[in-house]
Amino acid sequence: MTLRFQDLKGVYMFDLSEEKQKLLDATGNLLVLGGPGSGKTTIALLKAKKIIESGVLQSGQCILFLSFARSTISRVEQHANIVFMKSLTNHLEINTYHSFAWTILKSHGYLLCKKQLRLLPPHEAAALLANYDNKSAKEVEINRLFEQEGLTHFDLFACMCAKLLSRSNALSTILSETYPVIILDEFQDTNADEWALITQLGRKSNLIVLADAEQRIYDFRGADPARITQYITTFHPISFNFGNENNRSNGTDIVQFGNDLLTGNNKNKKYNNVECRYYPIREKNNQLILLKFAIIEACKRLRSETPKEWSIAVLLPSNSLMLTVSDFLEKTHKLKNGTIIPRIQHEVAIETAGPSIAALVIARLMEYGSIKQCNINQFLIDLCEHIRGRRGDKPPSQKDLILSTALLEYTKTGKITGKNRKVIIDESKRITERCNSLDFTGEVASDWIKVRDIISDATTDCIKQVRIDATYLRLLHKSSILNSSLSETWRRFDNYKGATEAVRNALTQEHFATSAKTWTGVNVMTIHKAKGKEFDEVIIYEGNFPGQRFIYDVEKIDQARLNLRVAITRAKKKATIFTPEGNSCCLL
């Protein structure tokens, strides 16, 4: 049986196999297994629709759909709008684990901590925890910050919620009565704390688990190969396996290629709609011209097929290569034969830590500069937070730690040694003095650029990096929320008093926003960022150096297979893989 759904992009076909029909009729805890594009999300939404239409839900009750990434939530919301009638969506809540857990902690965290809880965003956490390179020492500090200061690290969300539910039968009952059915997406990626939370939620609510063991690419954050077995042992679900059913890229060999990658059976085979290209290494990243040509070809192909809405993902193994590729695509190139290769307009899914802290640095200069109170000590403190936290989950280098320690010591003693450090102090003085002399107008974009340009004049790397990271705020589409926050501040005070806190709050709210994003046009991101998304075409590119390869550690080749499979199977129509000739990926 084939179901037909229609949205603005056209007709969406869904094959309702016999196994899927059985799932719609099943009750109790369920386990839904299947490969990429097998229809796990759609069948879960159809199951939710059937439960809602049956009338068993009481007033105020919802079916809760939980997943990890905001991008995944956006895609699920789009699917829900296709599958559901508008009148039924009031009974479906789609959320991330983090946002759901934070809602509970904000309301009931006083049962665990006497301090008022305040979120510790990733970029602030990175700066605060920069000195702790030992995992256990970092965990001790995270718990201390929570217990003594009420600062709540993201890593605590799940375990603290699990603790609340285990201690409070009343709270557990309220949640189960509100959410009698909970759908858990990407279950194979849950860590131990998330599993503890799920076991508490499952005490009184029915669970529908969606999983694919071969899409487990988050082992580094605690995903466990045994998780699916733990669920079966604990909750005794009825299991359904859709195997290699393929709704996403039906009519292609994309899923077959991805599955063959796991066993090595892909070698010396040809696949429909999957292409491997081997490129020669050239000077100054000029081999990226071939990637650029491939993107232009894909754009032309898709425009001719679906002129209104089409999508391409350019997937890279690392953040550094992603930014290199993005910078290359931004430029116009002229070949020796006179051919002009235009810039390619695209979006970049970059890490948020560096740009977020850079925004706070600029906001502070605007705030204090507008009341003529900029001072070097505060600027150095903010600069050090950027130095220590801009890499997000990755700890700062030893060189950066030593530099930030010396600069922070200067704020206490007024003493500094070393020629380069003295230059930083001198430039910091000039920056604060110039900001104090600026004529702020309340035109946020103009005032922001004035301050940013003052920073741009610096010659020292650590200050120039603030300017570079601030540039990426445009790529994060945060300009509008920052503009709104700062405009409101100016209207209230006729200066930017409170701008730093306003920007901090705006960034925090944005972190939990789940507004539906449509991934149209050309999108550049890492392979991990692509998880849970789908695109018409996918182009996967690896460089020639260790930090740019699919396999960065020979002992983790199995994980590399999983990563590459996830990347390949994001494609609906065609997948292309670039690897250097003479040093090509051993998986291909």
Side-chain angles (χ1 to χ4, degrees):
M1 177 180 178
T2 300
L3 301 179
R4 294 166 60 90
F5 305 105
Q6 188 160 3
D7 64 359
L8 295 175
K9 294 180 69 174
V11 177
Y12 171 62
M13 312 292 286
F14 183 74
D15 182 25
L16 192 63
S17 62
E18 185 178 341
E19 186 80 349
K20 290 186 171 106
Q21 185 62 61
K22 288 179 181 178
L23 186 151
L24 292 180
D25 297 332
T27 58
N29 294 322
L30 307 176
L31 172 62
V32 185
L33 299 171
S38 60
K40 298 187 296 297
T41 300
T42 303
I43 196 64
L45 290 173
L46 287 170
K47 178 66 176 175
K49 180 184 179 184
K50 185 170 183 178
I51 293 170
I52 295 169
E53 288 178 333
S54 72
V56 298
L57 296 183
Q58 299 175 11
S59 176
Q61 288 189 320
C62 289
I63 294 176
L64 177 64
F65 190 111
L66 291 180
S67 193
F68 288 100
R70 287 177 293 161
S71 57
T72 304
I73 293 302
S74 297
R75 184 172 61 83
V76 173
E77 287 175 340
Q78 291 164 17
H79 276 301
N81 289 332
I82 299 172
V83 173
F84 278 61
M85 290 185 295
K86 195 168 185 179
S87 59
L88 299 179
T89 55
N90 292 332
H91 292 288
L92 179 68
E93 180 180 322
I94 304 172
N95 215 336
T96 62
Y97 282 90
H98 274 146
S99 186
F100 173 70
W102 181 238
T103 300
I104 297 172
L105 288 174
K106 280 194 299 184
S107 301
H108 306 282
Y110 65 89
L111 296 171
L112 298 174
C113 179
K114 294 179 181 179
K115 299 283 187 179
Q116 182 176 355
L117 297 191
R118 182 172 77 83
L119 178 69
L120 185 60
H123 55 276
E124 291 186 33
L128 278 176
L129 301 170
N131 286 334
Y132 301 90
D133 52 0
N134 179 279
K135 183 179 179 182
S136 59
K138 184 177 288 188
E139 289 175 354
V140 169
E141 178 61 10
I142 287 172
N143 282 287
R144 187 198 69 78
L145 289 170
F146 177 79
E147 293 165 5
Q148 297 183 14
E149 302 180 37
L151 291 174
T152 312
H153 192 284
F154 273 48
D155 287 355
L156 294 181
F157 280 21
C159 67
M160 289 302 172
C161 275
K163 189 178 291 187
L164 272 174
L165 295 180
S166 66
R167 290 183 180 182
S168 174
N169 188 59
L171 179 57
S172 179
T173 300
I174 289 170
L175 281 176
S176 66
E177 289 178 349
T178 304
Y179 307 109
V181 178
I182 301 175
I183 302 170
L184 302 166
D185 193 23
E186 307 284 5
F187 180 76
Q188 72 280 348
D189 287 329
T190 52
N191 63 25
D193 290 334
E194 288 149 357
W195 169 239
L197 173 59
I198 289 166
T199 56
Q200 291 299 321
L201 293 172
R203 285 167 50 205
K204 300 177 181 180
S205 298
N206 285 330
L207 302 179
I208 301 176
V209 159
L210 315 180
D212 175 12
E214 308 301 345
Q215 287 196 70
R216 197 189 73 254
I217 65 172
Y218 286 101
D219 284 9
F220 63 87
R221 64 176 294 277
D224 192 331
R227 193 75 68 222
I228 295 173
T229 303
Q230 286 178 320
Y231 173 64
I232 294 171
T233 304
T234 306
F235 291 101
H236 311 290
I238 302 173
S239 296
F240 299 87
N241 194 333
F242 303 150
N244 294 326
E245 289 187 34
N246 183 8
N247 287 279
R248 178 181 297 157
S249 55
N250 198 19
T252 75
D253 291 336
I254 292 171
V255 169
Q256 186 60 54
F257 178 85
N259 292 336
D260 286 348
L261 263 176
L262 300 179
T263 59
N265 288 336
N266 60 296
K267 296 183 178 181
N268 302 315
K269 285 186 180 179
K270 290 187 176 181
Y271 295 84
N272 290 326
N273 303 83
V274 178
E275 179 184 2
C276 294
R277 297 189 183 183
Y278 300 86
Y279 66 84
I281 302 299
R282 296 175 179 170
E283 292 182 348
K284 299 179 180 179
N285 289 325
N286 283 332
Q287 66 270 9
L288 290 175
I289 284 289
L290 300 176
L291 172 62
K292 204 169 182 181
F293 274 129
I295 297 170
I296 292 171
E297 289 170 9
C299 290
K300 290 179 180 177
R301 190 162 48 242
L302 291 171
R303 283 194 189 107
S304 66
E305 297 171 2
T306 52
K308 286 187 178 180
E309 286 194 2
W310 50 268
S311 58
I312 297 170
V314 182
L315 305 184
L316 294 310
S318 67
N319 279 302
S320 59
L321 183 57
M322 177 186 68
L323 294 177
T324 297
V325 168
S326 175
D327 289 342
F328 194 87
L329 299 184
E330 277 290 334
K331 298 173 183 174
T332 298
H333 295 89
K334 183 176 182 180
L335 303 186
K336 290 181 180 179
N337 62 8
T339 302
I340 302 295
I341 315 293
R343 65 178 288 271
I344 297 177
Q345 184 175 347
H346 62 282
E347 294 198 21
V348 187
I350 67 172
E351 294 297 329
T352 62
S356 295
I357 304 177
L360 293 172
V361 174
I362 294 176
R364 182 94 66 185
L365 290 171
M366 291 174 69
E367 176 178 353
Y368 284 18
S370 68
I371 55 177
K372 312 304 180 187
Q373 291 183 10
C374 270
N375 65 85
I376 183 174
N377 282 358
Q378 184 61 61
F379 176 73
L380 288 173
I381 290 169
D382 292 340
L383 178 63
C384 288
E385 183 171 339
H386 183 262
I387 293 170
R388 295 155 68 91
R390 65 172 303 272
R391 287 160 55 91
D393 292 335
K394 295 180 180 179
S397 66
Q398 194 63 28
K399 179 182 175 183
D400 283 343
L401 273 179
I402 293 171
L403 173 61
S404 63
T405 300
L407 295 177
L408 288 173
E409 187 64 24
Y410 173 85
T411 65
K412 300 172 185 176
T413 65
K415 297 178 180 179
I416 196 80
T417 58
K419 180 182 177 181
N420 291 336
R421 293 175 188 173
K422 288 178 179 177
V423 174
I424 294 173
I425 299 300
D426 290 340
E427 293 194 330
S428 298
K429 286 178 180 177
R430 283 197 295 272
I431 288 170
T432 53
E433 289 170 358
R434 289 179 64 186
C435 285
N436 279 334
S437 65
L438 278 178
D439 182 19
F440 290 94
T441 64
E443 179 62 38
V444 174
S446 174
D447 291 342
W448 183 280
I449 291 171
K450 288 176 186 175
V451 172
R452 195 184 66 187
D453 287 346
I454 289 174
I455 294 175
S456 302
D457 292 340
T459 61
T460 49
D461 290 340
C462 61
I463 299 179
K464 284 197 295 185
Q465 190 62 57
V466 174
R467 166 68 172 83
I468 293 169
D469 283 347
T471 302
Y472 289 121
L473 287 165
R474 173 183 56 82
L475 301 178
L476 288 170
H477 299 286
K478 295 192 184 298
S479 302
S480 58
I481 64 163
L482 298 182
N483 196 310
S484 176
S485 300
L486 293 173
S487 293
E488 176 62 24
T489 300
W490 185 274
R491 282 194 294 270
R492 289 176 61 193
F493 303 109
D494 205 29
N495 56 44
Y496 289 114
K497 182 180 179 182
T500 312
E501 194 60 30
V503 168
R504 180 177 280 111
N505 291 337
L507 292 171
T508 299
Q509 291 171 12
E510 180 73 2
H511 189 88
F512 288 113
T514 56
S515 56
K517 174 175 175 54
T518 304
W519 293 92
T520 56
V522 179
N523 303 274
V524 180
M525 64 189 71
T526 63
I527 290 172
H528 279 83
K529 283 280 187 182
K531 183 75 184 295
K533 302 178 182 69
E534 56 183 37
F535 305 88
D536 290 316
E537 292 201 22
V538 165
I539 300 173
I540 308 165
Y541 183 95
E542 73 165 341
N544 192 48
F545 302 107
Q548 304 175 342
R549 306 308 304 267
F550 296 139
I551 302 173
Y552 55 89
D553 184 342
V554 291
E555 295 182 0
K556 296 182 179 180
I557 191 168
D558 290 338
Q559 186 63 57
R561 293 183 192 277
L562 294 175
N563 294 349
L564 195 52
R565 176 179 181 263
V566 165
I568 287 287
T569 54
R570 299 308 91 201
K572 293 189 285 186
K573 297 181 178 181
K574 180 179 173 63
T576 305
I577 307 171
F578 278 86
T579 186
E581 126 186 322
N583 187 23
S584 60
C585 177
C586 64
L587 300 180
L588 302 177

